[in-house]
Amino acid sequence: PVEQSGQPLYGQQKLHVNQQNLQRAWDVSQRTTRDDWAEWMRRFAVQLLREAPSPALRACADLAQAYPPLARELFYAAFVSCWFELIDQYQENLVRSLETAFKSETIPPEILQTLLNLAEFMEHDVEALPIDIRVLADLAQKCRA
């Protein structure tokens, strides 16, 4: 945790987030097959850990690279950790990428469900992502959530 002043609590230093590296990871262009989407999700989850401002999350990146279930387990925490470090332009770009993913005809249902769960997690526990509720409702129906 970090106080609003940017000073670390509990002696943990907040690490720098490379927003351009994250943007490359969340880019959904060129995703046309189920395998493309699976690789995108895996890479995005690991990159969130690599760039997380939390030393504890960042320390998990190499293990998550080797053991994908860990990347999936830490996805929401890593997303939240990075989200607040992104300047508005990058937040808007990330939301556009998520919306593009939602509209894809080739994205696997389990990845859609993960993204829907992320939006729900953000809305209940953090702050709602700026995504039209109708888009999320359609997505939920598509996933039968």
Side-chain angles (χ1 to χ4, degrees):
V2 175
E3 291 180 2
Q4 293 296 350
S5 67
Q7 294 302 311
L9 296 176
Y10 315 123
Q12 258 195 2
Q13 186 62 45
K14 195 165 144 183
L15 303 171
H16 172 73
V17 174
N18 185 321
Q19 298 182 48
Q20 289 177 324
N21 283 348
L22 279 176
Q23 185 174 21
R24 281 191 292 276
W26 75 55
D27 176 34
V28 294
S29 62
Q30 312 298 316
R31 306 294 167 195
T32 56
T33 69
R34 183 178 189 82
D35 288 343
D36 288 343
W37 282 108
E39 175 59 20
W40 171 81
M41 188 70 219
R42 186 200 62 73
R43 189 167 170 264
F44 182 34
V46 169
Q47 197 61 41
L48 284 168
L49 289 168
R50 286 197 195 294
E51 296 299 338
S54 160
L57 285 172
R58 201 173 280 199
C60 297
D62 286 339
L63 183 55
Q65 175 84 42
Y67 185 66
L70 180 62
R72 286 192 297 274
E73 188 68 31
L74 295 176
F75 178 66
Y76 306 136
F79 185 93
V80 169
S81 180
C82 291
W83 175 256
F84 289 108
E85 300 302 310
L86 298 175
I87 60 172
D88 289 350
Q89 165 196 341
Y90 282 96
Q91 284 186 352
E92 291 164 13
N93 185 279
L94 173 52
V95 167
R96 278 195 307 275
S97 285
L98 292 175
E99 289 173 335
T100 300
F102 294 158
K103 295 172 189 161
S104 170
E105 296 295 320
T106 59
I107 191 169
E110 61 274 11
I111 293 176
L112 272 180
Q113 187 66 57
T114 297
L115 297 177
L116 179 62
N117 291 347
L118 171 66
E120 183 179 23
F121 173 80
M122 291 291 290
E123 183 179 347
H124 288 287
D125 296 340
V126 188
E127 72 176 26
L129 293 172
I131 298 172
D132 189 316
I133 192 69
R134 292 171 296 219
V135 171
L136 295 175
D138 289 346
L139 179 61
Q141 194 160 18
K142 201 172 177 181
C143 291
R144 295 170 180 76

